[in-house]
Amino acid sequence: MSREEDRTTRYQEGSLTLPGTVMLGTGVMIGAGIFALTGQMAQMTGVLFPLAFLAAALIVSFSAYSYIKISNAYPSAGGIGMYLHKAYGNRLPTAFNALLMYFSMVIAQSFLARTFGSYTMQLFGGDDSGRMVSILGVGLILVAFLINLMGNRMIQGVASFIGVLKIGGILIFGLVGVWIADSISVDFSEPGEAGTPGNFLGATALGILAFKGFTTITNSGSEVIDPKRNVGRAIVISIAACVMIYTLVGFAVASNLSLAEIIETQDYSLAAAARPALGEYGVWFTVAIAMMATAGGILASVFAVSRMLAMLTEMKLVPHRHFGMPGSIQKHTLVYTVVLGLVLTAFFDLSRIAALGIVFYLIMDIAIHWGVLRYLRQDIKANRWVPATAILLDLLALGGFVWVKLSTDPFVIGVAVVTMLVIAVSEQVFLKKSPESAQAKQEQTHAHHHH
C-alpha cells in the first residue's frame, strides 16, 4: 500500500509569491512570442504586425476574464484541467480539451527549443542544414528536465533570475533599437496584399501564442500565496508587461529592418535587427537574451505541463502507464512531456510547430469560455457578455488563421484535424472502459472539495 501512496502528486501550498508567479507567467510569454513570432507575423500581415500584437493582446484580455473568475472561485494546481472538469465533469469534453491544451503547451516548448537553436547558431554564422538547431533544442529540453527534477524552489529561483535578466535585456534592446533607428515611422499606408483582413486575423492568432503563457499562472493556482487575490493580479500584470515590451520591440525591429529582411530572418529577426544598429555586439547581446528567454520559458513550461497531465491522470481522465518508472505520477508525466517535446523539436520546423499549437489552443480556449457561459456562470459570478465576446474573437482569429494556412500550408491543418480525431476517439474508448473508476473518483473529489 505504501508504494501506492507514494504515487500521489505533491503540491506545496503557498510556495509561490506574487512576483514569482508573475515571473513564471511572463517567463513563458516572453520566451516564444517575441523571438520567433515577430518574423512569422510579419510574413503574414506585412508592416501591420505590431498592430497584430495589439489585437492579440485585446483578445487575450477578454480571454483572461474567464480564467481569473474560475481561478478565484476554485484555485487549483491543476489549472486548466480542473477548470474543464468543473464545467464538463468526467466526460469527453474535459479530457479532449485538456489534452489539446497539454499538446499545445508541449508544442510551445518545442517551439521555444528550436528558437533557442536558431538564435544560438547566429553566433556561428547561422545553420543552413537546420541539424544543429535541432540538436541544441534537444539539449536545452534535457537541461530543463534535470532542473525540474530538483523541485519548486529551484524552479522559481532559476526562472526569476532568468526572468529579470531577460526582461531587462529585452527592454534595453527595444529602447536602444528605437533610439538608434533613423525614424520610428512604420509605414502603415501600404500593407500591400499581405494586409488583407484574413491575413491580419491569421497573424493575430499567432500573436495570441505570444500571450498564452498567462494560462501557466492558473496552473500554479493553489501554490500561490493568497491565490484568490494574487492569481488574477499576476495574470493582469503579466499581460500588461508583455503588451508594453512587445510593442516596443515590434517598433524596434520594424524601424531597423525592411519588411523583406524581417521575413527572410524570421526565425531570428531580433538578432538580425540588432545587426545594422549595433553591429556584432548587438547580435551577441540579443542572442544571449534569446537564449535566456527561451531557456526560462521551457523551464517554466515543462513545470506547468507535467503538472497538468498529472492532474488529468489523478482524475482518471487519461490512461497512465508507469513503464516501470519509480516515483510519483508527476515525475512520470514530466518524462512523457520531455520525450514528446524532444520528438517535435527534432523533426518539425518552427512555423509548423506554431501553427499546430495555435489551432489546439484556440479550440481549448473556446471550450473554457463555453463552459463558463453554459455551466459555471452563476457559481463564479461571471458576466455573460465577456466570455461571449471572447468566443467570438477566438473564432475570428482561428478562422483567419485556418484560412491563411489552407492556402499556404494545408498539410499542417490536416495534421491538426487528424490529431484531434485521434485524441477524441481514443479518449472516448478509454472513458467508456472505465466508468466505475471515474464514478468513484468523482465522489472522492467532491468530498475533497467540500472539506
Side-chain angles (χ1 to χ4, degrees):
M1 188 65 207
S2 62
R3 259 197 70 121
E4 277 306 297
E5 296 199 332
D6 183 36
R7 303 257 185 222
T8 54
T9 38
R10 297 185 185 79
Y11 299 120
Q12 300 165 334
E13 294 209 1
S15 60
L16 289 169
T17 58
L18 178 62
T21 313
V22 170
M23 276 301 163
L24 274 175
T26 48
V28 178
M29 287 156 89
I30 292 175
I34 193 100
F35 289 101
L37 292 173
T38 310
Q40 288 196 29
M41 288 167 71
Q43 187 173 21
M44 265 195 183
T45 196
V47 285
L48 301 179
F49 79 90
L51 298 182
F53 266 125
L54 290 175
L58 178 76
I59 294 180
V60 168
S61 309
F62 275 100
S63 268
Y65 176 83
S66 294
Y67 294 87
I68 293 172
K69 279 294 194 193
I70 308 176
S71 65
N72 287 351
Y74 319 108
S76 122
I80 291 185
M82 204 63 200
Y83 296 177
L84 287 160
H85 190 259
K86 285 281 178 215
Y88 300 104
N90 278 39
R91 297 189 2 253
L92 182 64
T94 304
F96 175 72
N97 286 296
L99 284 173
L100 284 189
M101 183 61 186
Y102 172 75
F103 285 119
S104 90
M105 288 166 87
V106 176
I107 287 167
Q109 276 168 37
S110 318
F111 186 59
L112 284 170
R114 287 194 72 98
T115 304
F116 174 82
S118 298
Y119 273 87
T120 307
M121 287 315 292
Q122 290 314 298
L123 298 178
F124 308 101
D127 170 30
D128 295 331
S129 71
R131 197 164 303 129
M132 274 315 290
V133 169
S134 304
I135 292 171
L136 287 166
V138 164
L140 178 63
I141 293 182
L142 290 173
V143 172
F145 172 62
L146 294 175
I147 295 178
N148 264 285
L149 290 176
M150 297 176 191
N152 267 19
R153 280 285 142 75
M154 181 75 179
I155 298 166
Q156 190 181 347
V158 175
S160 301
F161 173 68
I162 292 180
V164 172
L165 288 178
K166 160 175 94 177
I167 292 170
I170 290 177
L171 283 172
I172 293 169
F173 168 86
L175 292 167
V176 171
V178 168
W179 185 57
I180 290 188
D182 311 327
S183 63
I184 306 191
S185 60
V186 179
D187 182 10
F188 291 131
S189 60
E190 293 178 26
E193 81 104 9
T196 59
N199 283 33
F200 185 76
L201 287 171
T204 301
L206 272 177
I208 291 172
L209 272 189
F211 291 101
K212 86 180 189 50
F214 84 84
T215 55
T216 50
I217 297 176
T218 61
N219 283 10
S220 26
S222 54
E223 297 185 275
V224 180
I225 297 166
D226 189 8
K228 290 198 182 219
R229 286 174 59 210
N230 284 340
V231 169
R233 282 182 177 177
I235 289 176
V236 173
I237 296 169
S238 306
I239 293 175
C242 287
V243 170
M244 226 173 59
I245 292 169
Y246 290 165
T247 311
L248 187 66
V249 171
F251 279 108
V253 170
S255 11
N256 282 299
L257 295 177
S258 71
L259 188 60
E261 289 169 323
I262 295 176
I263 292 170
E264 190 189 332
T265 60
Q266 59 176 318
D267 289 349
Y268 51 92
S269 53
L270 266 68
R275 195 169 265 133
L278 306 165
E280 288 305 307
Y281 290 116
V283 175
W284 292 344
F285 176 71
T286 315
V287 168
I289 311 171
M291 288 165 74
M292 283 190 305
T294 46
I298 284 193
L299 188 65
S301 174
V302 168
F303 173 74
V305 179
S306 61
R307 257 309 138 71
M308 196 174 103
L309 191 58
M311 194 82 172
L312 290 175
T313 307
E314 282 192 1
M315 285 154 51
K316 299 276 191 289
L317 284 171
V318 292
H320 182 75
R321 288 280 304 277
H322 296 312
F323 294 114
M325 290 186 286
S328 68
I329 284 183
Q330 201 201 324
K331 290 282 192 291
H332 302 177
T333 53
L334 190 61
V335 174
Y336 300 157
T337 301
V338 166
V339 169
L340 194 57
L342 293 177
V343 171
L344 282 170
T345 307
F347 300 111
F348 271 84
D349 80 332
L350 272 177
S351 58
R352 286 188 158 169
I353 291 179
L356 281 174
I358 195 60
V359 172
F360 290 170
Y361 173 72
L362 283 172
I363 291 175
M364 185 286 311
D365 197 49
I366 292 169
I368 290 264
H369 303 312
W370 177 249
V372 168
L373 270 179
R374 185 90 176 61
Y375 303 108
L376 299 176
R377 206 166 53 83
Q378 264 91 23
D379 300 352
I380 64 175
K381 303 180 182 49
N383 280 326
R384 185 178 275 138
W385 69 272
V386 185
T389 310
I391 290 179
L392 212 83
L393 292 172
D394 275 352
L395 284 170
L396 267 174
L398 182 61
F401 186 73
V402 170
W403 176 251
V404 174
K405 282 291 168 194
L406 281 176
S407 53
T408 56
D409 186 8
F411 172 73
V412 87
I413 299 297
V415 170
V417 171
V418 170
T419 310
M420 288 190 288
L421 280 172
V422 170
I423 295 175
V425 171
S426 46
E427 268 302 320
Q428 187 59 35
V429 171
F430 171 72
L431 291 173
K432 274 238 164 61
K433 274 188 187 157
S434 61
E436 61 292 323
S437 65
Q439 198 50 46
K441 197 70 198 170
Q442 212 161 1
E443 281 153 26
Q444 217 176 321
T445 41
H446 278 295
H448 184 74
H449 278 296
H450 292 304
H451 281 311

